[in-house]
């Protein structure tokens, strides 16, 4: 009698990648030799968010909701050695901004009048965040985060478990078209998404509010992110490429800067990247805890 073939649901390729994160921690916790011979860097992470103004938002309620989800994904990290600094013109009315882990920085300069000014506005706010970190004497990793992306719940723990490196750059990541409920993985993530790298800075590396001269913070965080590896090499700084998908770039929620500037189509899908996408299902929220 012929044996019947086993049938069952094929495991999601993305889930396989996400489960590699869990596998990493299981191996780390069980490998005594690795624990003895490898010193974790244990540096705190400062997540910096430049929030667009209400004036240039298509839907302010969506902007607030997106920021709320981003903050939830960060707050629910297994390792709480982080802080969040947000600079903006208008303070959102969301409960996450009342959290002690968040510092809100109001800005007084003029808001852009069109999408053409979005990038300059974002960088001016990022510099304000850097100036704040200089004033409080922060030393640790700085990561610029777009106000609508999601962070994996073990991301902080992963970075702090690694040996020290001057930078961590995301080689892989996930993209979701939230409107289509489709998600896919992509390489060279650091060239595509604004939430793409961490850089180690000591206090002196952050911008001094009394000095306008550029410094290493400006070189690495206030310029186009696709060239980060090249800039680090020129600065003789080591870096590590991360090949696990720790960030989701969220598109088509209705107020993406990249779409308002015409750089991305609202109907974008995995096919545009020449790959097979997957349906964004509830199990993703086990890893990216926005719910």
């Amino acid at each position: 009698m012929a044996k019947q073939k086993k049938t069952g649901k094929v495991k999601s390729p993305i889930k396989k990648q996400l489960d590699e994160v869990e596998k990493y921690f299981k191996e780390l916790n069980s490998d005594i030799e690795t624990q003895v011979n490898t010193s974790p860097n244990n540096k705190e992470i400062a997540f910096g968010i430049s929030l667009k103004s209400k004036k240039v938002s298509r839907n302010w309620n969506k902007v607030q909701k997106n920021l709320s989800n981003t903050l939830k994904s960060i707050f629910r990290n297994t390792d709480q050695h982080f802080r969040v600094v947000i600079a903006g013109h208008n303070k959102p009315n969301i409960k996450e901004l009342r959290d002690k882990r968040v510092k809100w920085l109001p800005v007084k300069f003029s808001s852009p009048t069109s999408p053409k000014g979005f990038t300059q506005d974002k960088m001016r706010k990022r510099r304000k965040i850097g100036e704040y970190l200089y004033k409080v004497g922060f030393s640790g990793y700085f990561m610029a985060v777009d106000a609508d992306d999601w962070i994996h719940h073990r991301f902080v723990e992963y970075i702090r478990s690694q040996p020290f490196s001057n930078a961590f750059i995301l080689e892989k990541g996930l993209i979701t078209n939230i409107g289509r409920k489709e998600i896919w993985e992509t390489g060279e993530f650091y060239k595509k998404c604004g939430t793409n790298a961490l850089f180690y800075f000591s206090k002196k590396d952050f911008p001094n509010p009394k000095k306008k001269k550029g410094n290493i913070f400006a070189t690495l965080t206030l310029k186009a992110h696709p060239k980060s590896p090249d800039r680090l090499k020129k600065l003789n700084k080591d870096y590590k490429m991360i090949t696990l998908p720790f960030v989701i770039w969220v598109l088509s929620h209705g107020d993406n800067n990249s779409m308002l500037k015409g750089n991305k189509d609202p109907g974008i899908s995995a096919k545009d990247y020449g790959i097979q996408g997957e349906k964004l299902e509830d199990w993703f929220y086990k890893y990216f805890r926005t719910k």
Side-chain angles (χ1 to χ4, degrees):
M1 186 175 177
K3 290 184 179 179
Q4 288 185 332
K5 290 183 179 180
K6 289 184 179 180
T7 60
K9 190 174 181 180
V10 177
K11 189 172 182 180
S12 153
I14 293 178
K15 193 173 192 306
K16 286 182 180 179
Q17 282 289 301
L18 291 169
D19 285 342
E20 285 296 311
V21 178
E22 303 304 317
K23 182 181 177 182
Y24 162 81
F25 282 108
K26 284 181 181 178
E27 291 177 351
L28 181 69
N29 293 332
S30 64
D31 192 337
I32 302 300
E33 186 176 345
T34 298
Q35 293 178 36
V36 171
N37 296 330
T38 304
S39 298
N41 67 64
N42 289 328
K43 306 298 183 186
E44 184 184 353
I45 297 173
F47 295 104
I49 299 176
S50 299
L51 186 68
K52 68 166 66 176
S53 71
K54 190 174 184 179
K55 182 178 178 180
V56 296
S57 299
R58 182 177 289 177
N59 185 320
W60 182 242
N61 286 333
K62 283 186 178 179
V63 171
Q64 294 184 101
K65 176 63 176 175
N66 291 335
L67 177 61
S68 173
N69 285 338
T70 296
L71 292 175
K72 285 175 186 174
S73 73
I74 295 173
F75 288 173
R76 292 166 180 171
N77 260 257
T78 50
D79 188 327
Q80 292 288 299
H81 289 85
F82 65 82
R83 66 182 72 189
V84 182
V85 187
I86 308 173
H89 289 90
N90 313 100
K91 188 174 183 179
N93 183 25
I94 56 174
K95 65 180 181 180
E96 287 79 18
L97 289 192
R98 298 192 291 271
D99 193 283
K100 64 181 181 179
R101 292 166 289 186
V102 176
K103 174 65 179 180
W104 169 261
L105 300 177
V107 299
K108 296 180 180 179
F109 51 79
S110 298
S111 169
T113 57
S114 72
K116 289 182 179 179
F118 284 173
T119 299
Q120 182 184 25
D121 180 71
K122 176 186 283 191
M123 296 310 165
R124 291 181 75 183
K125 288 169 180 171
R126 191 172 295 171
R127 180 180 168 87
K128 288 293 182 185
I129 293 170
E131 290 176 351
Y132 167 78
L133 293 171
Y134 174 87
K135 286 191 283 188
V136 299
F138 177 80
S139 288
Y141 287 111
F142 174 82
M143 184 177 194
V145 176
D146 284 346
D148 49 8
D149 295 335
W150 302 345
I151 306 294
H152 190 285
H153 78 288
R154 299 193 83 162
F155 179 66
V156 175
E157 183 182 5
Y158 176 84
I159 294 299
R160 284 170 38 85
S161 74
Q162 295 291 301
F164 178 81
S165 178
N166 280 294
F168 292 93
I169 299 177
L170 302 184
E171 168 59 29
K172 285 189 179 180
L174 301 172
I175 304 175
T176 182
N177 182 317
I178 204 75
R180 297 169 62 102
K181 293 192 179 298
E182 182 185 25
I183 191 164
W184 60 97
E185 187 180 63
T186 183
E188 295 191 322
F189 190 72
Y190 67 94
K191 292 184 178 181
K192 300 164 185 172
C193 178
T195 309
N196 60 76
L198 302 92
F199 303 100
Y200 177 78
F201 297 122
S202 61
K203 175 190 170 179
K204 65 180 177 58
D205 296 324
F206 288 103
N208 183 335
K210 296 179 181 179
K211 297 179 180 179
K212 296 300 180 182
K213 187 174 69 172
N215 62 358
I216 191 172
F217 178 84
T219 300
L220 293 175
T221 73
L222 303 184
K223 296 183 179 181
H225 53 80
K227 294 185 178 180
S228 291
D230 295 332
R231 294 193 184 102
L232 287 161
K233 288 174 185 175
K234 286 181 180 179
L235 292 166
N236 200 27
K237 299 285 187 181
D238 65 300
Y239 62 90
K240 178 178 179 179
M241 302 300 286
I242 298 177
T243 57
L244 294 171
F246 280 113
V247 172
I248 298 183
W249 182 17
V250 183
L251 296 175
S252 289
H253 50 63
D255 226 305
N256 289 101
N257 281 359
S258 58
M259 292 185 174
L260 294 177
K261 289 189 289 186
N263 297 337
K264 287 283 180 290
D265 187 295
I268 192 169
S269 72
K271 289 182 180 179
D272 294 303
Y273 288 84
I275 56 178
Q276 181 68 41
E278 299 181 27
K279 185 179 179 181
L280 179 63
E281 298 179 317
D282 285 346
W283 64 260
F284 279 96
Y285 298 99
K286 172 185 174 183
Y287 304 96
F288 299 86
R289 300 180 176 179
T290 62
K291 291 187 176 183

